[in-house]
Coordinates of all heavy atoms in Angstrom, one line a residue:
V25 N 118.7 67.3 96.4 CA 117.5 67.8 96.9 C 116.8 66.7 97.7 O 116.3 66.9 98.8 CB 116.6 68.3 95.8 CG1 115.2 68.6 96.3 CG2 117.2 69.5 95.1
L29 N 115.8 67.0 101.6 CA 114.4 66.8 102.1 C 114.3 65.8 103.2 O 113.6 66.1 104.2 CB 113.5 66.5 100.9 CG 113.2 67.5 99.8 CD1 112.3 66.9 98.7 CD2 112.7 68.8 100.4
I34 N 111.8 68.0 105.4 CA 111.1 69.0 104.6 C 110.1 68.2 103.7 O 110.5 67.3 103.0 CB 112.0 69.8 103.7 CG1 112.9 70.6 104.6 CG2 111.2 70.7 102.8 CD1 114.1 71.3 103.8
P35 N 108.8 68.4 103.7 CA 107.9 67.6 103.0 C 108.0 67.8 101.5 O 107.7 66.9 100.7 CB 106.5 68.1 103.5 CG 106.7 69.4 104.1 CD 108.1 69.4 104.6
G36 N 108.4 69.0 101.0 CA 108.4 69.2 99.6 C 109.1 70.5 99.2 O 109.3 71.4 100.0
A37 N 109.5 70.5 97.9 CA 110.2 71.7 97.4 C 110.1 71.8 95.9 O 110.0 70.8 95.2 CB 111.7 71.7 97.8
A38 N 110.2 73.0 95.4 CA 110.3 73.2 93.9 C 111.7 73.9 93.7 O 112.0 74.8 94.5 CB 109.2 74.1 93.4
V39 N 112.4 73.4 92.8 CA 113.8 73.9 92.6 C 114.0 74.4 91.1 O 113.5 73.7 90.2 CB 114.8 72.8 92.9 CG1 116.2 73.2 92.6 CG2 114.7 72.4 94.4
A40 N 114.6 75.5 91.0 CA 115.0 75.9 89.6 C 116.5 76.1 89.7 O 117.1 76.7 90.6 CB 114.3 77.2 89.3
V41 N 117.2 75.6 88.7 CA 118.7 75.8 88.5 C 118.9 76.7 87.3 O 118.5 76.4 86.2 CB 119.4 74.5 88.3 CG1 120.9 74.7 88.1 CG2 119.1 73.5 89.4
K49 N 117.3 73.7 84.8 CA 116.5 72.6 85.3 C 115.4 73.1 86.2 O 115.6 74.1 86.9 CB 117.4 71.6 86.1 CG 116.6 70.5 86.8 CD 117.5 69.6 87.6 CE 116.8 68.5 88.3 NZ 116.3 67.5 87.5
V50 N 114.2 72.5 86.1 CA 113.1 72.7 87.0 C 112.8 71.4 87.6 O 112.6 70.4 86.9 CB 111.9 73.4 86.3 CG1 110.8 73.5 87.3 CG2 112.3 74.7 85.8
G51 N 112.7 71.3 88.9 CA 112.3 70.0 89.6 C 111.3 70.3 90.7 O 111.2 71.3 91.3
A52 N 110.4 69.3 90.8 CA 109.4 69.3 91.9 C 109.5 68.0 92.7 O 109.6 67.0 92.1 CB 108.0 69.4 91.3
Y53 N 109.6 68.2 94.0 CA 109.9 67.1 94.9 C 108.9 67.0 96.1 O 108.6 68.0 96.7 CB 111.3 67.2 95.4 CG 112.3 67.4 94.4 CD1 112.6 68.7 93.9 CD2 113.0 66.4 93.8 CE1 113.6 68.9 92.9 CE2 113.9 66.6 92.8 CZ 114.2 67.9 92.3 OH 115.1 68.1 91.4
G54 N 108.4 65.9 96.4 CA 107.7 65.7 97.6 C 106.3 66.2 97.5 O 105.7 66.4 96.5
M55 N 105.8 66.6 98.7 CA 104.4 67.0 98.9 C 104.2 68.5 99.3 O 104.9 69.0 100.1 CB 103.7 66.2 100.0 CG 103.8 64.6 99.8 SD 103.0 64.1 98.2 CE 101.4 64.0 98.7
A56 N 103.3 69.1 98.6 CA 103.0 70.5 98.9 C 102.0 70.5 100.2 O 102.1 71.5 101.0 CB 102.3 71.2 97.8
V64 N 104.0 68.5 95.1 CA 104.6 69.7 94.6 C 104.7 69.6 93.1 O 105.0 68.6 92.5 CB 106.0 69.9 95.2 CG1 106.7 71.1 94.6 CG2 106.0 70.1 96.7
T65 N 104.4 70.7 92.4 CA 104.6 70.8 91.0 C 105.5 72.1 90.7 O 105.8 72.8 91.7 CB 103.3 71.0 90.2 OG1 102.8 72.3 90.5 CG2 102.3 69.9 90.5
A66 N 105.9 72.2 89.5 CA 106.8 73.4 89.2 C 106.0 74.7 89.4 O 106.5 75.8 89.5 CB 107.3 73.3 87.8
D67 N 104.6 74.6 89.4 CA 103.8 75.8 89.6 C 103.2 76.0 91.0 O 102.4 76.8 91.2 CB 102.6 75.7 88.6 CG 103.1 75.7 87.1 OD1 104.0 76.5 86.8 OD2 102.5 75.0 86.3
T68 N 103.6 75.1 91.9 CA 103.1 75.2 93.3 C 103.5 76.6 93.9 O 104.6 77.1 93.8 CB 103.7 74.1 94.2 OG1 103.3 72.8 93.7 CG2 103.3 74.3 95.6
V69 N 102.5 77.2 94.5 CA 102.7 78.5 95.2 C 102.8 78.1 96.7 O 101.9 77.6 97.3 CB 101.5 79.5 95.0 CG1 101.6 80.7 95.9 CG2 101.4 79.8 93.5
F70 N 103.9 78.4 97.3 CA 104.2 78.1 98.7 C 103.8 79.4 99.5 O 104.4 80.4 99.3 CB 105.6 77.8 98.9 CG 106.0 76.5 98.3 CD1 106.6 76.5 97.0 CD2 105.8 75.3 98.9 CE1 107.0 75.3 96.4 CE2 106.2 74.1 98.3 CZ 106.8 74.1 97.0

Side-chain angles (χ1 to χ4, degrees):
V25 172
L29 290 179
I34 299 169
V39 175
V41 177
K49 176 182 179 67
V50 174
Y53 309 87
M55 304 301 275
V64 174
T65 70
D67 296 319
T68 296
V69 174
F70 294 93

